[in-house]
């Protein structure tokens, strides 16, 4: 599915490398200036997590198909409303005239938060395959603002230790040096 979308959207390896190195405010600028669509952006991050994230145990589950559908919806809203994302350069009094600041931006969700159709394991084996019937409050609020959950991030068991390790998903590895910890309670 991802390869097909990358081809259809004319996304090159160079574009993937360039976009995944952009800071968030530049990603929003690219969306606002129609240099990239939410569908392209989401496909790029889905591809990156499928290739690097899985290999390094950084992600637990994927939500790619739903994320692509949501990205297409964001692109339709952006096009039909002719609105752009609010930025800090815009007046706070006129915030209602804009889209949410992160509208159309993909986001990885920590494996402690519920996404409909996925497990929220918190790194515990007995919680695996317990698919959630609906989005949790946090994810619902994110989606309402136009954020696009595309994957779930690996975490330390119960999110309680300094290293991203659990018996279900294994240790999340540092992409810069696999012999080092990525630290923290979130590994993705």
């Amino acid at each position: 599915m991802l390869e097909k979308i990358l081809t259809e959207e004319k996304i090159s390896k160079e574009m993937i490398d360039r976009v995944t190195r952009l800071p968030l405010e530049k990603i929003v600028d690219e969306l606002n200036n129609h240099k990239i669509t939410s569908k392209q952006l989401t496909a790029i991050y889905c591809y990156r997590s499928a290739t690097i994230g899985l290999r390094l145990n950084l992600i637990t589950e994927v939500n790619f198909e739903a994320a692509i559908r949501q990205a297409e919806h964001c692109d339709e809203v952006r096009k039909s409303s002719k609105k752009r994302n609010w930025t800090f350069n815009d007046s706070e009094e006129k915030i209602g005239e804009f889209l949410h600041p992160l509208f159309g931006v993909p986001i990885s969700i920590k494996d402690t938060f519920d996404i409909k159709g996925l497990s929220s394991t918190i790194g515990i084996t007995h919680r695996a395959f317990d698919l959630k019937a609906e989005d949790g409050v946090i994810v619902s609020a994110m989606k309402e603002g136009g954020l696009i959950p595309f994957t779930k991030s690996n975490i330390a068991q119960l999110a309680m230790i300094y290293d991203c390790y659990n018996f279900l998903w294994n240790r999340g590895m540092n992409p810069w040096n696999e012999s080092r910890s990525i630290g923290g309670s979130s590994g993705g």
Side-chain angles (χ1 to χ4, degrees), residues 154-169:
N154 195 4
I155 62 165
Q157 189 167 0
L158 298 173
M160 292 184 64
I161 57 174
Y162 62 89
D163 191 12
C164 179
Y165 177 76
N166 62 68
F167 292 108
L168 181 60
W169 305 110

Side-chain angles (χ1 to χ4, degrees), residues 50-65:
T51 54
I52 295 173
L54 284 173
R55 182 177 61 81
L56 297 174
N57 298 328
L58 301 177
I59 62 174
T60 61
E61 293 187 84
V62 299
N63 194 36
F64 296 162
E65 289 181 26

Side-chain angles (χ1 to χ4, degrees), residues 141-188:
M142 288 179 178
K143 284 182 172 181
E144 190 174 306
L147 284 155
I148 304 168
F150 70 100
T151 191
K152 296 199 74 176
S153 303
N154 195 4
I155 62 165
Q157 189 167 0
L158 298 173
M160 292 184 64
I161 57 174
Y162 62 89
D163 191 12
C164 179
Y165 177 76
N166 62 68
F167 292 108
L168 181 60
W169 305 110
N170 212 336
R171 174 169 276 111
M173 294 181 281
N174 186 318
W176 308 113
N177 182 342
E178 293 181 25
S179 68
R180 294 184 173 232
S181 168
I182 52 177
S185 68
S186 297

Side-chain angles (χ1 to χ4, degrees), residues 2-19:
L2 288 178
E3 291 292 338
K4 180 181 177 190
I5 293 171
L6 294 176
T7 302
E8 289 172 355
E9 296 293 317
K10 299 180 175 82
I11 299 171
S12 66
K13 299 286 185 197
E14 294 79 20
M15 184 178 183
I16 292 169
D17 288 339
R18 183 185 68 78
V19 169

Side-chain angles (χ1 to χ4, degrees), residues 64-107:
F64 296 162
E65 289 181 26
I68 294 297
R69 284 193 307 275
Q70 188 179 351
E72 289 170 335
H73 174 73
C74 288
D75 289 335
E76 289 171 17
V77 168
R78 184 181 303 280
K79 185 177 179 180
S80 66
S81 71
K82 296 184 177 17
K83 290 183 177 182
R84 63 178 180 78
N85 294 37
W86 182 87
T87 68
F88 288 108
N89 296 325
D90 297 313
S91 167
E92 287 185 38
E93 291 81 30
K94 297 184 178 184
I95 196 165
E97 298 174 18
F98 298 92
L99 297 170
H100 184 278
L102 299 178
F103 185 87
V105 175
I107 185 169

Side-chain angles (χ1 to χ4, degrees), residues 131-145:
L131 305 182
K132 300 303 171 190
E134 59 185 43
D135 291 329
V137 173
I138 301 291
V139 172
S140 291
M142 288 179 178
K143 284 182 172 181
E144 190 174 306

